[in-house]
Amino acid sequence: MDTTGRGVLDTPQVRGMTISYAAMLLLLAILIPLSPAFAEPCNKPAARSKIAETLPLASEQRPVNITFRTHADGVKLSLGLKSKYPDDMTIILQHDFEQLNIKDDRFEVLLRLMGNRERLTVPFNAIKAFWDKSDLKCSDG
């Protein structure tokens, strides 16, 4: 390495590795909202309202992903699912679901999982993360 006037080493030039400041900011602007650390907490009233508004839109063209605590108060699911998912479970409402009922404090849905029909009741306060399409709407980290 060459030295400059005051004994400071020049940094070597690396080809193809320069990213402009604007490109770096654009990349951060895209990635930060996708990060769970920057998503609104799911236990806030505004997030619960978004969840309740978005759930009826779940369809083949608009998948909705929900991660919830299986041991939270009010969660109802089969013993088999509870033993398989003792902490958290993620469901995708896209193809194999029926009878989606949305209440003030929870939603209920009939899912087809590996050939079995499973009725789930999930209170909104049990939800840890919620995505509409691929947009993270809320996350408890």
Side-chain angles (χ1 to χ4, degrees):
M1 291 188 172
D2 296 328
T3 59
T4 58
R6 291 183 231 149
V8 177
L9 295 175
D10 279 340
T11 57
Q13 296 297 317
V14 179
R15 290 182 175 209
M17 293 299 291
T18 58
I19 298 177
S20 73
Y21 184 70
M24 182 98 58
L25 287 177
L26 179 61
L27 182 61
L28 285 173
I30 292 169
L31 294 177
I32 285 176
L34 298 177
S35 169
F38 292 98
E40 179 178 19
C42 292
N43 62 0
K44 299 283 184 191
R48 289 184 186 181
S49 178
K50 279 186 204 172
I51 293 168
E53 291 171 9
T54 306
L55 278 171
L57 304 175
S59 67
E60 196 168 315
Q61 292 79 28
R62 189 173 178 143
V64 173
N65 299 10
I66 305 156
T67 300
F68 63 95
R69 294 172 191 84
T70 56
H71 59 277
D73 289 339
V75 171
K76 295 179 186 171
L77 63 155
S78 71
L79 290 175
L81 285 178
K82 229 175 212 182
S83 66
K84 190 172 182 177
Y85 302 98
D87 298 317
D88 301 331
M89 182 177 181
T90 299
I91 60 172
I92 301 170
L93 299 182
Q94 183 175 14
H95 297 287
D96 293 329
F97 74 96
E98 306 170 15
Q99 301 175 10
L100 177 63
N101 296 314
I102 301 159
K103 309 288 185 183
D104 289 338
D105 63 339
R106 68 188 181 283
F107 72 92
E108 301 165 347
V109 66
L110 183 64
L111 295 177
R112 214 169 328 205
L113 302 170
M114 298 187 301
N116 297 321
R117 295 175 77 169
E118 299 276 353
R119 171 147 309 277
L120 276 71
T121 299
V122 180
F124 292 133
N125 63 3
I127 295 175
K128 285 181 63 174
F130 183 84
W131 296 264
D132 174 25
K133 300 182 205 174
S134 61
D135 295 332
L136 182 63
K137 298 295 185 187
C138 70
S139 175
D140 290 345

